[in-house]
Short mmCIF file of all heavy atoms in Angstrom, two decimals:
data_model
loop_
_atom_site.label_atom_id
_atom_site.label_comp_id
_atom_site.label_asym_id
_atom_site.label_seq_id
_atom_site.Cartn_x
_atom_site.Cartn_y
_atom_site.Cartn_z
N MET A 1 203.95 163.85 -99.55
CA MET A 1 205.38 163.82 -99.28
C MET A 1 206.08 164.45 -100.49
O MET A 1 205.88 164.05 -101.63
CB MET A 1 205.85 162.38 -99.09
CG MET A 1 207.30 162.29 -98.73
SD MET A 1 207.91 160.62 -98.39
CE MET A 1 207.13 160.26 -96.84
N THR A 2 206.92 165.41 -100.19
CA THR A 2 207.63 166.10 -101.27
C THR A 2 208.83 165.27 -101.72
O THR A 2 209.21 164.28 -101.08
CB THR A 2 208.12 167.48 -100.80
OG1 THR A 2 209.12 167.30 -99.81
CG2 THR A 2 206.98 168.32 -100.25
N LEU A 3 209.43 165.72 -102.81
CA LEU A 3 210.58 165.04 -103.36
C LEU A 3 211.75 165.05 -102.38
O LEU A 3 212.46 164.05 -102.24
CB LEU A 3 210.99 165.71 -104.68
CG LEU A 3 212.24 165.17 -105.36
CD1 LEU A 3 211.99 163.74 -105.84
CD2 LEU A 3 212.64 166.06 -106.50
N PHE A 4 211.93 166.14 -101.68
CA PHE A 4 213.05 166.25 -100.75
C PHE A 4 212.84 165.39 -99.51
O PHE A 4 213.80 164.83 -98.97
CB PHE A 4 213.31 167.71 -100.38
CG PHE A 4 213.72 168.54 -101.57
CD1 PHE A 4 212.91 169.56 -102.03
CD2 PHE A 4 214.89 168.25 -102.25
CE1 PHE A 4 213.29 170.31 -103.13
CE2 PHE A 4 215.27 168.99 -103.35
CZ PHE A 4 214.47 170.02 -103.80
N GLN A 5 211.61 165.29 -99.05
CA GLN A 5 211.32 164.38 -97.94
C GLN A 5 211.57 162.93 -98.35
O GLN A 5 212.11 162.14 -97.57
CB GLN A 5 209.88 164.54 -97.47
CG GLN A 5 209.61 165.83 -96.74
CD GLN A 5 208.15 166.01 -96.41
OE1 GLN A 5 207.28 165.43 -97.07
NE2 GLN A 5 207.87 166.82 -95.40
N LEU A 6 211.21 162.60 -99.57
CA LEU A 6 211.47 161.26 -100.09
C LEU A 6 212.97 161.01 -100.17
O LEU A 6 213.45 159.93 -99.82
CB LEU A 6 210.82 161.11 -101.46
CG LEU A 6 210.88 159.72 -102.09
CD1 LEU A 6 210.14 158.72 -101.22
CD2 LEU A 6 210.29 159.77 -103.48
N LEU A 7 213.73 162.01 -100.60
CA LEU A 7 215.19 161.89 -100.67
C LEU A 7 215.79 161.65 -99.28
O LEU A 7 216.71 160.85 -99.13
CB LEU A 7 215.79 163.14 -101.30
CG LEU A 7 217.29 163.14 -101.53
CD1 LEU A 7 217.67 162.07 -102.54
CD2 LEU A 7 217.73 164.52 -102.01
N ILE A 8 215.23 162.31 -98.28
CA ILE A 8 215.71 162.12 -96.90
C ILE A 8 215.47 160.69 -96.45
O ILE A 8 216.36 160.04 -95.89
CB ILE A 8 215.04 163.13 -95.95
CG1 ILE A 8 215.53 164.55 -96.25
CG2 ILE A 8 215.32 162.77 -94.50
CD1 ILE A 8 214.75 165.63 -95.54
N TRP A 9 214.27 160.18 -96.70
CA TRP A 9 213.96 158.81 -96.25
C TRP A 9 214.75 157.75 -97.01
O TRP A 9 215.21 156.77 -96.43
CB TRP A 9 212.47 158.55 -96.36
CG TRP A 9 211.71 159.20 -95.24
CD1 TRP A 9 210.92 160.30 -95.33
CD2 TRP A 9 211.71 158.81 -93.88
NE1 TRP A 9 210.43 160.62 -94.10
CE2 TRP A 9 210.89 159.72 -93.18
CE3 TRP A 9 212.32 157.78 -93.17
CZ2 TRP A 9 210.68 159.62 -91.82
CZ3 TRP A 9 212.11 157.68 -91.81
CH2 TRP A 9 211.29 158.60 -91.15
N ILE A 10 214.91 157.96 -98.30
CA ILE A 10 215.72 157.02 -99.08
C ILE A 10 217.17 157.07 -98.62
O ILE A 10 217.84 156.04 -98.47
CB ILE A 10 215.59 157.30 -100.59
CG1 ILE A 10 214.18 156.97 -101.06
CG2 ILE A 10 216.62 156.52 -101.39
CD1 ILE A 10 213.88 157.40 -102.48
N GLY A 11 217.67 158.28 -98.37
CA GLY A 11 219.03 158.43 -97.86
C GLY A 11 219.22 157.77 -96.51
O GLY A 11 220.26 157.15 -96.24
N ALA A 12 218.21 157.87 -95.66
CA ALA A 12 218.29 157.21 -94.35
C ALA A 12 218.34 155.69 -94.51
O ALA A 12 219.09 155.01 -93.80
CB ALA A 12 217.11 157.63 -93.48
N ALA A 13 217.57 155.16 -95.45
CA ALA A 13 217.58 153.71 -95.68
C ALA A 13 218.92 153.26 -96.25
O ALA A 13 219.46 152.22 -95.85
CB ALA A 13 216.44 153.34 -96.64
N VAL A 14 219.49 154.05 -97.16
CA VAL A 14 220.79 153.71 -97.74
C VAL A 14 221.86 153.77 -96.66
O VAL A 14 222.74 152.90 -96.58
CB VAL A 14 221.11 154.65 -98.92
CG1 VAL A 14 222.54 154.49 -99.38
CG2 VAL A 14 220.16 154.40 -100.08
N THR A 15 221.79 154.78 -95.79
CA THR A 15 222.75 154.89 -94.69
C THR A 15 222.63 153.69 -93.75
O THR A 15 223.64 153.12 -93.32
CB THR A 15 222.52 156.20 -93.91
OG1 THR A 15 222.68 157.29 -94.80
CG2 THR A 15 223.50 156.33 -92.76
N LEU A 16 221.41 153.30 -93.45
CA LEU A 16 221.20 152.15 -92.58
C LEU A 16 221.77 150.88 -93.20
O LEU A 16 222.38 150.06 -92.51
CB LEU A 16 219.71 151.98 -92.28
CG LEU A 16 219.33 150.86 -91.32
CD1 LEU A 16 219.96 151.12 -89.95
CD2 LEU A 16 217.83 150.75 -91.20
N ALA A 17 221.61 150.73 -94.50
CA ALA A 17 222.19 149.56 -95.19
C ALA A 17 223.71 149.58 -95.09
O ALA A 17 224.34 148.53 -94.87
CB ALA A 17 221.75 149.55 -96.65
N GLY A 18 224.31 150.75 -95.22
CA GLY A 18 225.75 150.86 -95.08
C GLY A 18 226.23 150.53 -93.68
O GLY A 18 227.25 149.85 -93.50
N VAL A 19 225.50 150.98 -92.68
CA VAL A 19 225.87 150.70 -91.29
C VAL A 19 225.73 149.21 -90.99
O VAL A 19 226.59 148.62 -90.31
CB VAL A 19 225.03 151.56 -90.31
CG1 VAL A 19 225.22 151.13 -88.88
CG2 VAL A 19 225.39 153.03 -90.47
N VAL A 20 224.69 148.59 -91.52
CA VAL A 20 224.54 147.14 -91.35
C VAL A 20 225.70 146.41 -92.01
O VAL A 20 226.24 145.45 -91.45
CB VAL A 20 223.18 146.66 -91.91
CG1 VAL A 20 223.12 145.15 -92.03
CG2 VAL A 20 222.05 147.18 -91.04
N GLY A 21 226.12 146.88 -93.17
CA GLY A 21 227.29 146.30 -93.83
C GLY A 21 228.55 146.46 -93.02
O GLY A 21 229.38 145.54 -92.94
N LEU A 22 228.73 147.62 -92.40
CA LEU A 22 229.89 147.84 -91.54
C LEU A 22 229.88 146.89 -90.34
O LEU A 22 230.91 146.32 -89.98
CB LEU A 22 229.93 149.29 -91.06
CG LEU A 22 230.34 150.33 -92.09
CD1 LEU A 22 230.08 151.73 -91.56
CD2 LEU A 22 231.79 150.17 -92.46
N LEU A 23 228.72 146.73 -89.73
CA LEU A 23 228.62 145.83 -88.59
C LEU A 23 228.87 144.38 -88.99
O LEU A 23 229.56 143.63 -88.28
CB LEU A 23 227.24 145.97 -87.93
CG LEU A 23 226.99 147.29 -87.20
CD1 LEU A 23 225.54 147.37 -86.73
CD2 LEU A 23 227.94 147.45 -86.04
N ALA A 24 228.33 143.99 -90.14
CA ALA A 24 228.53 142.62 -90.62
C ALA A 24 230.01 142.35 -90.92
O ALA A 24 230.53 141.27 -90.62
CB ALA A 24 227.68 142.36 -91.86
N THR A 25 230.68 143.33 -91.47
CA THR A 25 232.11 143.19 -91.74
C THR A 25 232.90 143.06 -90.45
O THR A 25 233.82 142.25 -90.35
CB THR A 25 232.62 144.38 -92.56
OG1 THR A 25 231.85 144.50 -93.75
CG2 THR A 25 234.07 144.21 -92.93
N GLY A 26 232.52 143.83 -89.46
CA GLY A 26 233.19 143.74 -88.16
C GLY A 26 233.01 142.38 -87.51
O GLY A 26 233.96 141.81 -86.96
N VAL A 27 231.80 141.86 -87.60
CA VAL A 27 231.53 140.54 -87.02
C VAL A 27 232.32 139.46 -87.76
O VAL A 27 232.93 138.58 -87.13
CB VAL A 27 230.01 140.24 -87.04
CG1 VAL A 27 229.73 138.79 -86.74
CG2 VAL A 27 229.28 141.15 -86.07
N SER A 28 232.34 139.54 -89.09
CA SER A 28 233.08 138.51 -89.85
C SER A 28 234.59 138.63 -89.61
O SER A 28 235.28 137.61 -89.54
CB SER A 28 232.76 138.61 -91.33
OG SER A 28 233.30 139.78 -91.89
N ALA A 29 235.11 139.83 -89.45
CA ALA A 29 236.54 140.00 -89.17
C ALA A 29 236.88 139.46 -87.79
O ALA A 29 237.94 138.85 -87.59
CB ALA A 29 236.93 141.46 -89.28
N ASN A 30 235.98 139.64 -86.84
CA ASN A 30 236.21 139.12 -85.50
C ASN A 30 236.20 137.59 -85.51
O ASN A 30 237.01 136.95 -84.83
CB ASN A 30 235.16 139.66 -84.53
CG ASN A 30 235.54 139.42 -83.10
OD1 ASN A 30 236.73 139.34 -82.76
ND2 ASN A 30 234.54 139.31 -82.24
N LYS A 31 235.30 136.99 -86.28
CA LYS A 31 235.27 135.53 -86.41
C LYS A 31 236.55 135.02 -87.06
O LYS A 31 237.09 134.00 -86.65
CB LYS A 31 234.07 135.09 -87.23
CG LYS A 31 232.76 135.14 -86.50
CD LYS A 31 231.64 134.63 -87.38
CE LYS A 31 230.30 134.75 -86.70
NZ LYS A 31 229.20 134.28 -87.57
N LEU A 32 237.03 135.74 -88.07
CA LEU A 32 238.28 135.35 -88.73
C LEU A 32 239.46 135.42 -87.76
O LEU A 32 240.33 134.56 -87.76
CB LEU A 32 238.56 136.26 -89.92
CG LEU A 32 237.95 135.88 -91.24
CD1 LEU A 32 238.21 136.95 -92.28
CD2 LEU A 32 238.50 134.56 -91.72
N ARG A 33 239.47 136.47 -86.95
CA ARG A 33 240.57 136.65 -86.00
C ARG A 33 240.63 135.51 -84.99
O ARG A 33 241.70 135.07 -84.59
CB ARG A 33 240.41 137.98 -85.29
CG ARG A 33 241.67 138.44 -84.59
CD ARG A 33 241.45 139.76 -83.94
NE ARG A 33 240.92 139.50 -82.60
CZ ARG A 33 240.48 140.42 -81.78
NH1 ARG A 33 240.44 141.66 -82.16
NH2 ARG A 33 240.04 140.10 -80.59
N ASN A 34 239.47 135.02 -84.60
CA ASN A 34 239.41 133.96 -83.61
C ASN A 34 239.41 132.56 -84.22
O ASN A 34 239.30 131.58 -83.50
CB ASN A 34 238.15 134.12 -82.75
CG ASN A 34 238.20 135.39 -81.93
OD1 ASN A 34 239.27 135.86 -81.56
ND2 ASN A 34 237.03 135.96 -81.66
N SER A 35 239.53 132.45 -85.55
CA SER A 35 239.42 131.15 -86.20
C SER A 35 240.70 130.32 -86.12
O SER A 35 240.64 129.11 -86.28
CB SER A 35 239.02 131.34 -87.66
OG SER A 35 240.08 131.94 -88.38
N GLY A 36 241.83 130.95 -85.92
CA GLY A 36 243.08 130.21 -85.84
C GLY A 36 243.62 129.77 -87.18
O GLY A 36 244.34 128.77 -87.27
N LEU A 37 243.28 130.48 -88.23
CA LEU A 37 243.79 130.16 -89.56
C LEU A 37 245.28 130.48 -89.65
O LEU A 37 245.78 131.31 -88.90
CB LEU A 37 243.04 130.97 -90.62
CG LEU A 37 241.59 130.60 -90.88
CD1 LEU A 37 240.96 131.62 -91.82
CD2 LEU A 37 241.49 129.21 -91.47
N PRO A 38 245.97 129.86 -90.59
CA PRO A 38 247.37 130.24 -90.83
C PRO A 38 247.46 131.72 -91.24
O PRO A 38 246.52 132.28 -91.80
CB PRO A 38 247.80 129.34 -91.98
CG PRO A 38 246.83 128.22 -91.99
CD PRO A 38 245.56 128.73 -91.42
N ASP A 39 248.60 132.31 -90.97
CA ASP A 39 248.77 133.75 -91.13
C ASP A 39 248.49 134.22 -92.56
O ASP A 39 247.79 135.21 -92.76
CB ASP A 39 250.20 134.13 -90.71
CG ASP A 39 250.36 135.63 -90.55
OD1 ASP A 39 249.41 136.26 -90.04
OD2 ASP A 39 251.42 136.15 -90.94
N GLU A 40 249.02 133.52 -93.53
CA GLU A 40 248.86 133.96 -94.93
C GLU A 40 247.40 133.88 -95.39
O GLU A 40 246.90 134.78 -96.06
CB GLU A 40 249.75 133.10 -95.84
CG GLU A 40 249.87 133.63 -97.25
CD GLU A 40 250.48 135.02 -97.31
OE1 GLU A 40 251.39 135.32 -96.49
OE2 GLU A 40 250.04 135.82 -98.15
N GLU A 41 246.71 132.81 -94.99
CA GLU A 41 245.30 132.68 -95.36
C GLU A 41 244.44 133.74 -94.66
O GLU A 41 243.52 134.30 -95.25
CB GLU A 41 244.80 131.28 -95.03
CG GLU A 41 243.42 130.98 -95.54
CD GLU A 41 243.00 129.55 -95.26
OE1 GLU A 41 243.85 128.73 -94.88
OE2 GLU A 41 241.81 129.27 -95.44
N MET A 42 244.76 134.02 -93.40
CA MET A 42 244.02 135.04 -92.67
C MET A 42 244.22 136.41 -93.30
O MET A 42 243.27 137.19 -93.42
CB MET A 42 244.42 135.07 -91.21
CG MET A 42 243.56 136.02 -90.39
SD MET A 42 243.97 136.12 -88.67
CE MET A 42 243.78 134.46 -88.15
N ARG A 43 245.43 136.72 -93.71
CA ARG A 43 245.68 138.00 -94.37
C ARG A 43 244.87 138.13 -95.65
O ARG A 43 244.33 139.20 -95.94
CB ARG A 43 247.16 138.16 -94.70
CG ARG A 43 248.02 138.47 -93.53
CD ARG A 43 249.48 138.55 -93.96
NE ARG A 43 250.34 138.55 -92.80
CZ ARG A 43 251.06 139.59 -92.43
NH1 ARG A 43 251.02 140.70 -93.14
NH2 ARG A 43 251.82 139.52 -91.37
N ARG A 44 244.80 137.07 -96.44
CA ARG A 44 244.05 137.10 -97.69
C ARG A 44 242.56 137.33 -97.42
O ARG A 44 241.91 138.13 -98.10
CB ARG A 44 244.27 135.80 -98.46
CG ARG A 44 243.77 135.87 -99.89
CD ARG A 44 244.00 134.58 -100.65
NE ARG A 44 243.03 133.57 -100.21
CZ ARG A 44 243.34 132.46 -99.55
NH1 ARG A 44 244.58 132.19 -99.25
NH2 ARG A 44 242.40 131.61 -99.19
N LYS A 45 242.03 136.64 -96.42
CA LYS A 45 240.59 136.80 -96.11
C LYS A 45 240.31 138.17 -95.50
O LYS A 45 239.27 138.77 -95.77
CB LYS A 45 240.13 135.69 -95.19
CG LYS A 45 240.06 134.36 -95.90
CD LYS A 45 239.42 133.30 -95.06
CE LYS A 45 239.33 132.02 -95.87
NZ LYS A 45 238.58 131.00 -95.17
N LEU A 46 241.22 138.67 -94.68
CA LEU A 46 241.02 139.99 -94.11
C LEU A 46 241.14 141.08 -95.17
O LEU A 46 240.52 142.14 -95.05
CB LEU A 46 242.01 140.25 -92.97
CG LEU A 46 241.68 139.56 -91.65
CD1 LEU A 46 242.79 139.79 -90.63
CD2 LEU A 46 240.36 140.04 -91.10
N GLN A 47 241.94 140.83 -96.20
CA GLN A 47 242.03 141.80 -97.30
C GLN A 47 240.69 141.95 -97.99
O GLN A 47 240.28 143.06 -98.33
CB GLN A 47 243.10 141.35 -98.30
CG GLN A 47 243.47 142.39 -99.31
CD GLN A 47 244.26 143.52 -98.71
OE1 GLN A 47 244.75 143.44 -97.59
NE2 GLN A 47 244.39 144.59 -99.45
N SER A 48 239.97 140.85 -98.20
CA SER A 48 238.64 140.96 -98.80
C SER A 48 237.66 141.63 -97.83
O SER A 48 236.75 142.34 -98.25
CB SER A 48 238.12 139.60 -99.23
OG SER A 48 237.82 138.80 -98.11
N ALA A 49 237.87 141.42 -96.53
CA ALA A 49 237.02 142.09 -95.54
C ALA A 49 237.24 143.60 -95.57
O ALA A 49 236.29 144.38 -95.39
CB ALA A 49 237.28 141.54 -94.15
N VAL A 50 238.47 144.01 -95.82
CA VAL A 50 238.76 145.45 -95.93
C VAL A 50 238.02 146.04 -97.12
O VAL A 50 237.45 147.14 -97.03
CB VAL A 50 240.28 145.69 -96.04
CG1 VAL A 50 240.58 147.12 -96.45
CG2 VAL A 50 240.97 145.37 -94.74
N HIS A 51 237.97 145.31 -98.23
CA HIS A 51 237.26 145.80 -99.41
C HIS A 51 235.76 145.92 -99.14
O HIS A 51 235.13 146.90 -99.53
CB HIS A 51 237.51 144.88 -100.60
CG HIS A 51 238.94 144.90 -101.05
ND1 HIS A 51 239.40 144.12 -102.07
CD2 HIS A 51 240.01 145.59 -100.62
CE1 HIS A 51 240.68 144.35 -102.25
NE2 HIS A 51 241.07 145.23 -101.37
N ARG A 52 235.20 144.92 -98.46
CA ARG A 52 233.77 145.01 -98.10
C ARG A 52 233.51 146.15 -97.15
O ARG A 52 232.48 146.84 -97.23
CB ARG A 52 233.29 143.70 -97.48
CG ARG A 52 233.07 142.60 -98.52
CD ARG A 52 232.60 141.36 -97.86
NE ARG A 52 233.75 140.89 -97.06
CZ ARG A 52 233.71 139.92 -96.18
NH1 ARG A 52 232.59 139.31 -95.94
NH2 ARG A 52 234.79 139.56 -95.54
N ASN A 53 234.45 146.39 -96.23
CA ASN A 53 234.31 147.47 -95.27
C ASN A 53 234.30 148.82 -95.98
O ASN A 53 233.49 149.70 -95.67
CB ASN A 53 235.45 147.40 -94.24
CG ASN A 53 235.24 148.34 -93.09
OD1 ASN A 53 234.12 148.63 -92.72
ND2 ASN A 53 236.33 148.82 -92.53
N MET A 54 235.20 149.00 -96.93
CA MET A 54 235.26 150.26 -97.67
C MET A 54 233.99 150.46 -98.51
O MET A 54 233.48 151.58 -98.62
CB MET A 54 236.50 150.30 -98.57
CG MET A 54 237.79 150.35 -97.79
SD MET A 54 237.92 151.79 -96.72
CE MET A 54 238.11 153.07 -97.93
N ALA A 55 233.46 149.39 -99.09
CA ALA A 55 232.23 149.49 -99.87
C ALA A 55 231.05 149.88 -98.97
O ALA A 55 230.23 150.73 -99.34
CB ALA A 55 231.95 148.18 -100.58
N ALA A 56 230.97 149.27 -97.80
CA ALA A 56 229.88 149.60 -96.87
C ALA A 56 230.01 151.04 -96.38
O ALA A 56 229.01 151.75 -96.24
CB ALA A 56 229.90 148.64 -95.69
N LEU A 57 231.23 151.49 -96.14
CA LEU A 57 231.45 152.87 -95.73
C LEU A 57 231.03 153.83 -96.84
O LEU A 57 230.41 154.86 -96.58
CB LEU A 57 232.92 153.07 -95.36
CG LEU A 57 233.31 154.43 -94.81
CD1 LEU A 57 232.58 154.70 -93.50
CD2 LEU A 57 234.81 154.49 -94.59
N PHE A 58 231.35 153.50 -98.07
CA PHE A 58 230.95 154.32 -99.21
C PHE A 58 229.43 154.42 -99.31
O PHE A 58 228.89 155.50 -99.53
CB PHE A 58 231.54 153.74 -100.49
CG PHE A 58 231.16 154.48 -101.73
CD1 PHE A 58 231.71 155.71 -102.02
CD2 PHE A 58 230.23 153.94 -102.61
CE1 PHE A 58 231.35 156.40 -103.16
CE2 PHE A 58 229.87 154.61 -103.75
CZ PHE A 58 230.43 155.85 -104.04
N VAL A 59 228.74 153.31 -99.13
CA VAL A 59 227.28 153.31 -99.19
C VAL A 59 226.71 154.19 -98.07
O VAL A 59 225.79 154.98 -98.30
CB VAL A 59 226.73 151.87 -99.10
CG1 VAL A 59 225.23 151.85 -98.89
CG2 VAL A 59 227.10 151.10 -100.35
N ALA A 60 227.26 154.09 -96.87
CA ALA A 60 226.78 154.89 -95.76
C ALA A 60 227.01 156.38 -96.02
O ALA A 60 226.14 157.22 -95.73
CB ALA A 60 227.47 154.48 -94.46
N VAL A 61 228.15 156.73 -96.58
CA VAL A 61 228.44 158.14 -96.87
C VAL A 61 227.50 158.67 -97.96
O VAL A 61 227.01 159.80 -97.84
CB VAL A 61 229.92 158.30 -97.28
CG1 VAL A 61 230.18 159.67 -97.88
CG2 VAL A 61 230.81 158.08 -96.08
N ILE A 62 227.25 157.88 -98.98
CA ILE A 62 226.31 158.31 -100.03
C ILE A 62 224.92 158.55 -99.44
O ILE A 62 224.26 159.54 -99.76
CB ILE A 62 226.26 157.27 -101.17
CG1 ILE A 62 227.59 157.21 -101.91
CG2 ILE A 62 225.12 157.56 -102.15
CD1 ILE A 62 227.99 158.49 -102.60
N GLY A 63 224.49 157.67 -98.55
CA GLY A 63 223.20 157.86 -97.91
C GLY A 63 223.15 159.12 -97.07
O GLY A 63 222.16 159.87 -97.09
N LEU A 64 224.22 159.39 -96.33
CA LEU A 64 224.25 160.62 -95.53
C LEU A 64 224.26 161.86 -96.41
O LEU A 64 223.65 162.88 -96.07
CB LEU A 64 225.48 160.61 -94.62
CG LEU A 64 225.39 159.67 -93.42
CD1 LEU A 64 226.73 159.63 -92.68
CD2 LEU A 64 224.29 160.11 -92.48
N MET A 65 224.93 161.78 -97.54
CA MET A 65 224.92 162.91 -98.47
C MET A 65 223.51 163.14 -99.02
O MET A 65 223.08 164.29 -99.17
CB MET A 65 225.90 162.65 -99.62
CG MET A 65 227.34 162.76 -99.20
SD MET A 65 228.55 162.22 -100.42
CE MET A 65 228.10 163.12 -101.86
N MET A 66 222.78 162.06 -99.27
CA MET A 66 221.39 162.21 -99.73
C MET A 66 220.53 162.89 -98.67
O MET A 66 219.72 163.77 -98.98
CB MET A 66 220.82 160.84 -100.09
CG MET A 66 221.43 160.22 -101.32
SD MET A 66 220.97 158.49 -101.55
CE MET A 66 219.24 158.64 -101.93
N VAL A 67 220.74 162.50 -97.41
CA VAL A 67 219.97 163.11 -96.32
C VAL A 67 220.30 164.60 -96.21
O VAL A 67 219.41 165.45 -96.08
CB VAL A 67 220.25 162.38 -94.99
CG1 VAL A 67 219.68 163.15 -93.81
CG2 VAL A 67 219.69 160.97 -95.03
N ILE A 68 221.57 164.95 -96.27
CA ILE A 68 221.98 166.34 -96.14
C ILE A 68 221.44 167.17 -97.29
O ILE A 68 220.95 168.30 -97.09
CB ILE A 68 223.51 166.44 -96.05
CG1 ILE A 68 223.98 165.88 -94.71
CG2 ILE A 68 223.99 167.87 -96.21
CD1 ILE A 68 225.46 165.69 -94.59
N ILE A 69 221.50 166.63 -98.51
CA ILE A 69 220.95 167.37 -99.66
C ILE A 69 219.45 167.55 -99.50
O ILE A 69 218.91 168.64 -99.77
CB ILE A 69 221.30 166.63 -100.97
CG1 ILE A 69 222.80 166.77 -101.24
CG2 ILE A 69 220.48 167.18 -102.13
CD1 ILE A 69 223.29 165.91 -102.38
N GLY A 70 218.75 166.51 -99.05
CA GLY A 70 217.31 166.63 -98.84
C GLY A 70 216.95 167.67 -97.79
O GLY A 70 215.99 168.42 -97.94
N ILE A 71 217.75 167.74 -96.72
CA ILE A 71 217.50 168.74 -95.67
C ILE A 71 217.82 170.14 -96.17
O ILE A 71 217.07 171.09 -95.95
CB ILE A 71 218.30 168.40 -94.40
CG1 ILE A 71 217.75 167.14 -93.76
CG2 ILE A 71 218.30 169.56 -93.42
CD1 ILE A 71 218.59 166.60 -92.62
N ALA A 72 218.96 170.28 -96.86
CA ALA A 72 219.39 171.60 -97.30
C ALA A 72 218.47 172.19 -98.35
O ALA A 72 218.20 173.40 -98.34
CB ALA A 72 220.82 171.51 -97.83
N LEU A 73 217.99 171.36 -99.25
CA LEU A 73 217.16 171.89 -100.34
C LEU A 73 215.67 171.87 -100.00
O LEU A 73 214.88 172.52 -100.69
CB LEU A 73 217.40 171.09 -101.62
CG LEU A 73 218.82 171.17 -102.18
CD1 LEU A 73 218.95 170.30 -103.41
CD2 LEU A 73 219.20 172.60 -102.48
N GLY A 74 215.28 171.12 -98.98
CA GLY A 74 213.87 171.00 -98.63
C GLY A 74 213.47 171.99 -97.69
O GLY A 74 212.91 172.73 -97.21
#
């Protein structure tokens, strides 16, 4: 296995981790929405969910960039 093939597989794993994070954030936000919390508390908890969502999206994008670099250079 060459270095670029390894980069593709690692990038795919990183992307998969990011997608799992996105799905987990969606599930937790849906649970929060249906929890019936007071408005101010729900906003505070959803704000942290937005931060987790952006972090998971960043991880997925980094993984896709690794895959693209591995394909382009390999």
